[in-house]
Structure formats: C-alpha cells, structure tokens
Amino acid sequence: MNEREQIVNRDLSLLDEAHYGGRIARAEYRARRRNVLAALRDSHGITARKALVQPPRPADARLEEDMLPVLLGGGARSSRMLLAVFAAGALVCALLLGLLFFAA
C-alpha cells in the first residue's frame, strides 16, 4: 500500500468515526467519501472509464434479427415445455383422484 492509499484509508476512517459518532449527517458523509475516493482515483491517473460501444446496426438487419424467431416459431419451444408440464401435472392429479375414488 503506497502513501496515498494510507492517507485515503486514514481519511475514510475519520469520516466513519464522525458519521457513526453522529457529528455529520449521512448526506455529508457520502459527499465527503465520494470526494476522498475521487481524489485517490485522480491520483492514479484514472479519470474516466472507456465504455465499449458496439457499432450501430442497420435498421433492416435489426428488424430481421428480432422477427426471425417469431416467424420460425422460436418461442414455441418454451410454450411446448409449459404445455408438457401442465399435462404431466393434470395426469398426476387425475391418478391421485382415481386412487382416492377407488380406495373409498
């Protein structure tokens, strides 16, 4: 841990003590904590993150990709699975009711 990190840790500890001791409010604690951490970030040369941006797709390609599963019945697989689970549950219920009916 370098000297700058030690200073930041000390500052954060003092802030924690002040907050838990009731000397500063939560909003002030959070604002000061952000400032301390921002100072550490800036001292390491990290100023902003570079987001990975995907190149925009043409509107035609986007429409085809979104509609293809619908046209080919891609959503039918989950519907079939739901139907199979429902049918199995109904069969189990019918068997249990049949056992109750014939057992009495």
Side-chain angles (χ1 to χ4, degrees):
M1 186 180 314
N2 65 26
E3 182 181 345
R4 181 67 187 143
E5 290 171 344
Q6 290 175 352
I7 293 170
V8 167
N9 279 337
R10 187 195 68 222
D11 290 347
L12 289 175
S13 295
L14 291 173
L15 273 175
D16 285 342
E17 289 175 14
H19 176 62
Y20 291 121
R23 294 188 302 272
I24 59 174
R26 176 184 284 185
E28 185 179 353
Y29 166 75
R30 287 181 176 176
R32 286 187 185 184
R33 188 172 189 273
R34 277 192 299 270
N35 290 338
V36 169
L37 293 175
L40 177 65
R41 227 182 0 257
D42 293 341
S43 71
H44 288 290
I46 301 170
T47 55
R49 296 189 182 270
K50 294 183 180 179
L52 297 176
V53 179
Q54 294 180 349
R57 298 182 296 175
D60 297 336
R62 185 175 302 138
L63 180 62
E64 289 174 8
E65 287 177 7
D66 292 342
M67 293 301 294
L68 191 59
V70 174
L71 294 174
L72 296 177
R77 185 174 187 174
S78 62
S79 298
R80 288 184 198 137
M81 182 60 121
L82 183 62
L83 182 62
V85 168
F86 178 75
L91 183 63
V92 168
C93 287
L95 288 173
L96 289 175
L97 285 173
L99 287 174
L100 284 174
F101 182 71
F102 289 116

